[in-house]
Amino acid sequence: MYKVLQVLTDDEVAECRRIAASAQFVHGRVSNPHNQAKNNEQLHEPATYKQTAQLLHAALMRSEDFVNFAFPVSMAPPLITRYQPSMHYGAHTDTAYLKLPGGTLRSDLSCTIFLNDPETYEGGALRIALGDAELSFKLPPGVAVVYPSDTLHGVEPVAAGERLVAITFIQSRVPDPFKRNLLYNLNEVAALEGLQMQPQNFTRLQLVQNQLLRYWGEKP
């Protein structure tokens, strides 16, 4: 139901950090004034936001693991956010629909891309509730975690240092997480074992893959 994957090169991480070091940030509540759980900062300068969003979007879309897991139809421009000491994000679910310049996006999946070393700040772990389990993520720079947007999740208070991440939201071609996970696992088996199967059986497997995607998928 979630996926951890490497998406940024070292140079791309360094570029995001360089931009963030001199960019203007504003309180994160500027994009959602009524969200009392939100206590962080977000990149504000339009030109800088566009530059980093393009870099991060391209990195995600070139990741075969990301595309295979998320079945993305559209994605919100990734946004760099910052947490200073005492900042946090209380438990919340992400809004179901986001109004973007190009139209409205349904948030099926959320994504956090970590941009600085976990050793440089205390606290600040991303916590996600999945059923009875609560998972905690504090990952190396350039690594992302993708998870369902309708889960309760939040960010622990930062005790010291600075937490720098990028976030985005994805509309999936397969909105149902159970169906999406089944398709992902089926596709992984086909990719890993397909060449060892009898050709006629591999062809049948591909038929099932495409039939399920046609049946469960929403947009081309």
Side-chain angles (χ1 to χ4, degrees):
M1 306 300 286
Y2 70 93
K3 184 75 172 174
V4 173
L5 41 90
Q6 180 79 42
V7 294
L8 297 179
T9 66
D10 291 344
D11 287 344
E12 288 169 333
V13 170
E15 178 67 2
C16 288
R17 288 179 181 172
R18 183 192 65 79
I19 292 171
S22 58
Q24 179 187 3
F25 282 74
V26 295
H27 198 284
R29 221 172 277 157
V30 69
S31 58
N32 191 348
H34 304 294
N35 187 349
Q36 297 301 311
K38 191 175 187 180
N39 182 18
N40 62 8
E41 297 176 333
Q42 64 187 48
L43 197 63
H44 184 62
E45 300 168 358
T48 305
Y49 178 21
K50 181 178 180 180
Q51 179 185 359
T52 54
Q54 289 175 340
L55 183 157
L56 294 162
H57 182 277
L60 284 166
M61 292 306 296
R62 74 162 181 255
S63 168
E64 189 174 352
D65 279 346
F66 170 76
V67 172
N68 290 343
F69 178 76
F71 296 89
V73 170
S74 57
M75 186 191 315
L79 173 65
I80 293 179
T81 66
R82 184 171 70 184
Y83 291 74
Q84 304 283 12
S86 79
M87 289 186 173
H88 67 284
Y89 204 144
H92 65 285
T93 60
D94 294 321
T95 186
Y97 292 93
L98 289 80
K99 292 183 179 180
L100 302 175
T104 300
L105 176 144
R106 185 189 63 233
S107 60
D108 298 316
L109 292 162
S110 299
C111 176
T112 297
I113 306 171
F114 292 80
L115 296 175
N116 57 347
D117 295 298
E119 296 82 7
T120 62
Y121 60 99
E122 297 178 18
L126 171 66
R127 301 187 71 86
I128 304 171
L130 287 174
D132 294 334
E134 185 169 81
L135 308 178
S136 179
F137 298 93
K138 193 173 176 181
L139 302 174
V143 177
V145 57
V146 185
Y147 53 96
S149 299
D150 61 355
T151 56
L152 277 175
H153 58 278
V155 177
E156 296 175 344
V158 172
E162 177 182 283
R163 178 186 191 262
L164 192 68
V165 300
I167 60 168
T168 187
F169 309 96
I170 302 104
Q171 180 168 333
S172 176
R173 180 169 287 110
V174 184
D176 185 291
F178 180 76
K179 295 175 180 176
R180 187 169 60 243
N181 200 47
L182 281 178
L183 267 176
Y184 170 72
N185 283 308
L186 183 62
N187 293 346
E188 285 288 281
V189 170
L192 294 171
E193 302 294 337
L195 295 180
Q196 302 181 46
M197 300 172 66
Q198 292 293 327
Q200 62 270 26
N201 289 334
F202 185 43
T203 299
R204 291 175 66 190
L205 176 59
Q206 290 177 310
L207 175 64
V208 171
Q209 289 174 269
N210 285 296
Q211 283 177 328
L212 289 177
L213 186 56
R214 286 190 182 95
Y215 184 70
W216 288 341
E218 285 191 346
K219 291 187 176 182

